Amino acid sequence: MQMINTASIQGMSDGELTPEHMVSYGKAAGMQYNVIAVGRDLTPSSMMMMNSFIAGARSVGSDILDIGVIPPMVMPFCKENQRCNVIFGNPEDRGRVGGITFYNTDGRLFTASQMEQIDRQIQTMKSVTNEHNIGNYDVISGTLEDYRRSIVNDSDDVDCEISIDCASGPCSLIAPSILTDLGADVTTLNCQMDGRSPGRELPPDEINLRLLMKSAKINTDGIGVAFNGDGTRIAAIDEGSRYISGSNLLAIMMRYLKPKTVVVPINTPMVVSDLLKCNVIYSPLSKQSLAEMTKDKEADIGGSDDGTFIFPSTSYCSDGIMAAITLGKMASESMICDMVDEIPKYYSAKGFVRHYESKEHLSKKLSDNLYSLEYDKISDCDGWRVEFNDGWLLVRFSDYDRAVDILAEGRDKAYTVSLLEMGKEIVSSSLMTIGR
């Protein structure tokens, strides 16, 4: 399940983003940050959108550092005293007009409060262009090489055959060379730079990776790695040319890294906690929260079953290249397919209950009823995840509808269904007792 990212704006409530919107975002950001580093993907509109943003930011006196076409995880390696980083494009759909994503200089996405400040600035903004205070514009080179050198110097060798699919995006500039420098026998697919992404759809879902699976099959005992449009998410193919589910990939990679503390979203499948003998901390279902909590809790790694991996030793930006290197190291030491086959089977079930009550009142009732259960562990950072010996139950308000979503998972199918029904009953009884 892909997480929510409110630091990325890919459209407006009344339609697509326009260059006029970008001028406003540039002015708003420029009023708060006097030096801004910008980069872009290959979405056909990204250059136009970036130039509009630059015009707005410079018009209020903010200096611009243009890094060019670049993956987001490389941006923190620009050490030019910028106050924030901004990427233009759309990592999941080249067919749309590209958007804008705001990052802190350590790779963390802008928090909700930071985005609210930008929005408030736009709402109250007046024309403040001063021809005597136009910001500077500089083109910055060498950032990609700084990232490559740092990763290669700090990584162990990779001794395996690996096919990589860069979706014709910015990772094509650097991922193949890094893996080759580390010793991998690399076969490239869709690694030509092309903003149309002609080889496949951008999301690294199983249905979009048939060519990669075929390539892994041709390369005996080889594995495959695919990136989304900007390299912030990955998917993997094992030596048997099988697509590895996001939850299994998350579990086997984290187990290999042997972390003391990890941060994962609150809906993460139980295979992760089962395989890891460490402190597992749950975060709300947003990419911002995952990075924020990974930093705040000083975790060794953060990750999600949508292919997001955060390596704090590098930055707090999701880094698909580092994830690919880790997977390559794993394949150098043992068979990935054997690791996947060792994972036990789990069962999941989901449902929802509609409501028309105040979230505040219903939340209080739900909390009281869920905390009254006999549980092993409960987490309430985003809804309530209630863990038992043989399964878990997540009850949280829907992001889109007036409903309470319920998710259950367990080792036994009948037990999982019983957990789901218990969750529905708790929500229904909580609704009935509001006002009493």
Side-chain angles (χ1 to χ4, degrees):
M1 174 179 173
Q2 194 173 341
M3 292 182 292
I4 299 167
N5 177 7
T6 55
S8 181
I9 303 162
Q10 298 297 336
M12 307 298 287
S13 59
D14 57 350
E16 298 283 7
L17 282 169
T18 66
E20 289 78 13
H21 290 130
M22 288 300 174
V23 172
S24 296
Y25 277 113
K27 287 185 175 181
M31 290 177 184
Q32 297 183 53
Y33 304 96
N34 64 344
V35 183
I36 302 173
V38 298
R40 64 183 180 88
D41 70 6
L42 295 164
T43 303
S45 66
S46 63
M47 175 68 84
M48 173 182 67
M49 294 300 197
M50 186 177 76
N51 286 338
S52 299
F53 177 94
I54 289 172
R58 292 185 65 201
S59 74
V60 295
S62 182
D63 294 337
I64 294 295
L65 307 173
D66 185 353
I67 307 179
V69 175
I70 196 166
M73 76 288 295
V74 179
M75 291 287 279
F77 285 77
C78 176
K79 308 293 185 182
E80 298 287 341
N81 297 316
Q82 73 269 31
R83 298 295 180 261
C84 73
N85 298 327
V86 183
I87 290 278
F88 298 85
N90 189 331
E92 305 297 337
D93 185 358
R94 292 268 194 266
R96 293 188 60 189
V97 173
I100 179 173
T101 304
F102 290 88
Y103 290 88
N104 290 289
T105 56
D106 61 0
R108 289 174 299 124
L109 289 159
F110 264 28
T111 63
S113 61
Q114 286 177 296
M115 292 304 297
E116 288 170 3
Q117 289 175 5
I118 295 287
D119 288 337
R120 280 197 300 269
Q121 194 75 62
I122 291 174
Q123 297 302 322
T124 60
M125 191 162 45
K126 297 179 180 179
S127 179
V128 293
T129 301
N130 184 340
E131 64 181 16
H132 302 295
N133 187 35
I134 295 176
N136 296 318
Y137 172 83
D138 292 298
V139 175
I140 304 298
S141 61
T143 306
L144 273 168
E145 177 57 25
D146 290 342
Y147 174 86
R148 189 203 66 79
R149 187 185 306 112
S150 175
I151 298 303
V152 171
N153 290 342
D154 293 343
S155 299
D156 296 329
D157 290 344
V158 175
D159 183 17
C160 71
E161 294 182 359
I162 182 168
S163 299
I164 59 171
D165 183 337
C166 293
S168 301
C171 278
S172 305
L173 290 168
I174 195 166
S177 63
I178 286 179
L179 286 162
T180 300
D181 288 346
L182 290 173
D185 183 359
V186 177
T187 299
T188 59
L189 297 171
N190 298 314
C191 288
Q192 76 284 3
M193 298 277 282
D194 192 328
R196 300 168 300 167
S197 187
R200 68 168 174 87
E201 296 294 324
L202 294 183
D205 303 328
E206 183 174 6
I207 194 171
N208 296 331
L209 302 182
R210 300 191 186 281
L211 185 59
L212 182 63
M213 287 186 272
K214 184 177 180 180
S215 177
K217 187 174 183 178
I218 292 173
N219 293 330
T220 307
D221 293 335
I223 63 169
V225 174
F227 302 102
N228 67 337
D230 64 3
T232 54
R233 296 198 299 124
I234 72 161
I237 309 299
D238 71 12
E239 297 89 348
S241 302
R242 300 178 304 180
Y243 181 87
I244 304 173
S245 71
S247 57
N248 286 350
L249 179 62
L250 180 66
I252 63 173
M253 283 186 58
M254 285 192 164
R255 181 172 64 173
Y256 172 81
L257 292 168
K258 297 181 174 63
K260 294 180 179 179
T261 302
V262 302
V263 174
V264 294
I266 198 168
N267 66 343
T268 298
M270 64 189 298
V271 61
V272 173
S273 56
D274 274 1
L275 264 61
L276 297 181
K277 305 303 179 184
C278 71
N279 181 25
V280 178
I281 298 174
Y282 295 113
S283 75
L285 291 181
S286 73
K287 288 185 179 290
Q288 289 93 330
S289 298
L290 182 67
E292 288 293 324
M293 290 189 68
T294 299
K295 182 174 183 176
D296 292 346
K297 301 299 182 181
E298 299 182 348
D300 301 297
I301 186 172
S304 165
D305 64 359
D306 72 348
T308 295
F309 290 92
I310 296 171
F311 299 87
S313 60
T314 303
S315 81
Y316 289 96
C317 181
S318 179
D319 192 334
I321 295 177
M322 278 293 295
I325 292 170
T326 302
L327 199 64
K329 293 177 187 175
M330 293 166 61
S332 303
E333 299 173 15
S334 34
M335 298 288 283
I336 301 293
C337 57
D338 291 341
M339 300 179 198
V340 174
D341 289 341
E342 291 172 359
I343 295 174
K345 184 175 178 60
Y346 300 89
Y347 299 88
S348 63
K350 59 183 179 181
F352 65 92
V353 176
R354 293 201 178 277
H355 77 89
Y356 300 95
E357 300 291 344
S358 159
K359 278 190 177 182
E360 180 181 358
H361 294 153
L362 180 53
S363 180
K364 177 66 169 60
K365 289 290 184 180
L366 287 172
S367 181
D368 290 344
N369 288 332
L370 290 165
Y371 270 97
S372 69
L373 299 173
E374 294 183 7
Y375 52 82
D376 294 338
K377 177 182 176 180
I378 190 165
S379 302
D380 59 5
C381 62
D382 184 359
W384 300 264
R385 179 183 175 118
V386 189
E387 298 186 355
F388 309 95
N389 185 52
D390 292 314
W392 58 275
L393 174 71
L394 176 63
V395 178
R396 68 184 295 272
F397 289 100
S398 171
D399 295 314
Y400 308 106
D401 301 312
R402 292 191 62 84
V404 177
D405 293 331
I406 304 154
L407 176 63
E409 186 184 27
R411 308 180 206 284
D412 176 80
K413 187 174 183 179
Y415 178 70
T416 302
V417 172
S418 71
L419 281 179
L420 178 65
E421 294 306 315
M422 180 178 71
K424 290 180 178 179
E425 175 58 31
I426 288 173
V427 176
S428 297
S429 62
S430 298
L431 285 167
M432 291 177 63
T433 56
I434 288 178
R436 294 183 185 177

